[in-house]
Structures are given as structure tokens and as C-alpha cells.
Amino acid sequence: QVRLVESGGGSVQAGGSLRLSCTASGYTYSSYCMGWFRQAPGKEREGVAVIDSEGVTTYADSVKGRFTISRDNAKNTLYLQMNNLKPEDTAVYYCAAEDFPFATVATMNPHYWGQGTQVTVSS
């Protein structure tokens, strides 16, 4: 049974930093494409960052240069380092996995989702 568990959300002032983590279990983590998505109130869920099975990363334009996605296959863990946070980054952030080794932030079609973690950025 695939399970994704996020942690690390919270409240921070604009300009601050947070690091999200996602621990995966129940599948061959290293062969899956992994990503972070977010959903703000009243908006559709959107892709934030994706890392494929070979470590290639892609980002939404709105977070390029501020967010960094990484994965530790030995620990079955995905990370999202978020720096210079802005109020518009406020959302519930979801970890996602796709049963395919390659995808980008524009093409990823997740098969599995975490429960989400709230990130709130105040001005």
C-alpha cells in the first residue's frame, strides 16, 4: 500500500524559509517520479516542482530561483526547500508520486497523493 506523509509546514513571515519533507512507503521509491503540488483557497491545484527518477528537476515559473526540490532515495524521502517566501505561496502543499520514471512539472500525472500540509506566509 502506497503511503505519502508530509511534514514541515507552518506559518512564516514574508522573506522567510521552510522545508517540507515527504516520507514514502509501499513502493519502489527510486523508480517513481515525485513532485510537490499546492492548492490555495478558491484556486485549482497546481504543480510546484517535480524531480524524476534520475534527479532531473523542473519548477513552476512562480517559484524558480526560490524553491529547491530534492530526493534521498536511501531514506525514501522527498524535500522542498522554500526560501524568500511570499504571501502568494500560502496554500496546502501536497506530495505526489507517479508510477513512471520521467515527468516534468507540466506533465506529471500523479497516481498517489499525501494528505497535505499547510503553509501560511504573512506579509
Side-chain angles (χ1 to χ4, degrees):
Q1 181 178 356
V2 174
R3 189 168 183 228
L4 302 173
V5 180
E6 301 101 334
S7 61
S11 297
V12 65
Q13 289 192 327
S17 298
L18 284 173
R19 189 175 84 151
L20 305 182
S21 299
C22 171
T23 302
S25 60
Y27 66 101
T28 306
Y29 174 79
S30 61
S31 65
Y32 278 48
C33 192
M34 300 294 298
W36 290 97
F37 289 70
R38 68 186 181 187
Q39 187 166 20
K43 295 188 176 181
E44 293 187 356
R45 191 174 298 188
E46 62 174 356
V48 174
V50 166
I51 184 166
D52 71 16
S53 61
E54 294 188 348
V56 177
T57 59
T58 53
Y59 298 89
D61 288 343
S62 59
V63 306
K64 280 181 182 176
R66 301 188 298 121
F67 290 11
T68 302
I69 188 172
S70 60
R71 64 192 296 168
D72 185 335
N73 290 341
K75 295 182 179 179
N76 284 8
T77 302
L78 179 73
Y79 303 99
L80 185 68
Q81 178 66 43
M82 304 185 293
N83 297 329
N84 190 23
L85 282 159
K86 303 176 180 180
E88 51 264 43
D89 295 318
T90 296
V92 177
Y93 283 71
Y94 298 90
C95 174
E98 180 177 354
D99 184 7
F100 190 73
F102 306 111
T104 69
V105 70
T107 65
M108 186 174 177
N109 185 24
H111 295 98
Y112 307 104
W113 296 92
Q115 81 287 355
T117 185
Q118 177 70 46
V119 171
T120 303
V121 184
S122 58
S123 57

